[in-house]
Amino acid sequence: MAVNLMPIRPDSTTLREVLRGVRHVLRSGRKSLKDVSAMENLPEPAARLARTLLGDMDDLARGLDGMASRIAGKVLPSATSPATPFAEFRAHPQGDAPFAVVAYEALKKAVRHLHASNAFISEAAARAAFQRMRQTTSPEQTSEACSAILLLAMLDLKVVRAEPVTAEVRHGAGDVDVLATFAVLLWLLADRSDADHDMALVSACELSRALADSILQASAKRDLNALRKLFERYAVNV
C-alpha cells in the first residue's frame, strides 16, 4: 500500500534560527578573513579580490537578515509590541513565542550597548527557557520571582553567546550574557510605552552595568532570592 508522506515543515522559530546561525558564521568568517588578509598589505589583484569577497559576504548576511525579519513578521502577533508587559507573556497560554521574538530584538540592542561584538542570540533557546520557567512556576508567583527563574534558565540554555568585548568595559565576554539578559528582563518588568521603550532599554542596560557585581554574584550562586530582590527594587527605576 502506498504511503502518502507529507513534507515536514520546520516552524518559523527554527527557520529564523538557521538563517541567523548562517549569518553569524558569515560575519565571524568575514572578521577572520579581514584580520588574516590585511588587505592594505595585499598586492593587486589579490586586494581587489579580497574586497569583493568581503562585500559578497556582507550582501549575503544582509539578505539573511531580511529573510529572518520577514519570517518574524509573519508569526509575531500584530497586538504584540516591545512595550508588552512581562505579565502578559506569562498569562498567555502561548506566550513563549512572542516573548522569544521580543526578547531576541531587545537582546540584540542590549548586547551592542554593552559593547560585545558579533554575539549570537538564540530565539529558540529564549523560547525554551520561557517554557522551562513556566513549568517550574505557579500563577501565584510574582513576575519578579518568575524573572529570576527565567534569567537562570536563559543562562543555562545559552540564549546569548557573546564574543570578546571592547576595552570600554571592565567585564569580560562571559559576563555580557548575564548582564544583557538581566537588563532585558528588567526592561520587560518596567512600565514602558511604545514611545519610550528604546530609552527604557538603554536605562535598563545602564542599571545592569551599574549593578554588575551584584548581578554576577547572585547569578553565579544561583541565588533566586537575591535576583528577585534586584528585579523588585530596580524595575521602577527604568
Side-chain angles (χ1 to χ4, degrees):
M1 182 176 66
V3 178
N4 183 20
L5 296 177
M6 296 295 293
I8 299 174
R9 298 181 180 179
D11 66 16
S12 298
T13 302
T14 303
L15 288 172
R16 289 195 299 276
E17 196 85 348
V18 170
L19 291 171
R20 288 164 180 161
V22 175
R23 178 193 61 191
H24 181 71
V25 170
L26 282 172
R27 288 182 172 171
S28 297
R30 183 195 189 282
K31 183 177 184 300
S32 299
L33 180 61
K34 189 175 182 180
D35 291 343
V36 171
S37 66
M39 286 185 293
E40 66 276 9
N41 297 324
L42 288 177
E44 294 293 350
R48 184 168 63 253
L49 178 62
R51 286 192 295 270
T52 300
L53 181 57
L54 290 174
D56 289 345
M57 293 174 74
D58 283 341
D59 289 343
L60 183 53
R62 281 193 293 270
L64 290 169
D65 264 338
M67 290 174 67
S69 297
R70 286 192 294 275
I71 294 171
K74 292 178 180 179
V75 298
L76 183 60
S78 58
T80 301
S81 81
T84 302
F86 180 72
E88 286 192 22
F89 292 122
R90 285 185 62 206
H92 196 287
Q94 296 177 324
D96 55 313
F99 163 81
V101 174
V102 171
Y104 171 83
E105 295 297 334
L107 283 167
K108 283 198 304 183
K109 297 175 183 178
V111 165
R112 283 198 299 268
H113 193 78
L114 293 169
H115 305 291
S117 63
N118 200 27
F120 180 74
I121 299 166
S122 172
E123 181 188 334
R127 186 175 181 178
F130 191 91
Q131 292 168 346
R132 180 181 293 187
M133 176 274 295
R134 175 166 277 167
Q135 292 168 358
T136 57
T137 58
S138 65
E140 291 74 27
Q141 288 179 271
T142 66
S143 289
E144 291 80 6
C146 292
S147 293
I149 294 169
L150 180 55
L151 172 64
L152 295 184
M154 292 175 74
L155 298 179
D156 290 344
L157 294 177
K158 300 186 183 302
V159 173
V160 179
R161 303 175 195 182
E163 293 185 6
V165 295
T166 68
E168 299 178 54
V169 290
R170 61 189 176 93
H171 296 287
D175 300 329
V176 170
D177 59 342
V178 182
L179 300 180
T181 303
F182 181 90
V184 168
L185 293 177
L186 188 69
W187 170 75
L188 286 169
L189 289 168
D191 184 16
R192 60 202 191 286
S193 68
D194 284 324
D196 66 5
H197 66 84
D198 278 331
M199 288 303 299
L201 183 56
V202 171
S203 176
C205 289
E206 289 301 316
L207 279 169
S208 184
R209 185 181 292 171
L211 299 168
D213 290 340
S214 297
I215 296 167
L216 294 171
Q217 183 178 34
S219 61
K221 292 181 177 179
R222 303 183 71 84
D223 190 337
L224 291 173
N225 190 49
L227 290 170
R228 174 183 58 77
K229 288 180 178 179
L230 285 169
F231 284 127
E232 287 175 344
R233 181 173 180 181
Y234 292 102
V236 295
N237 298 118
V238 171

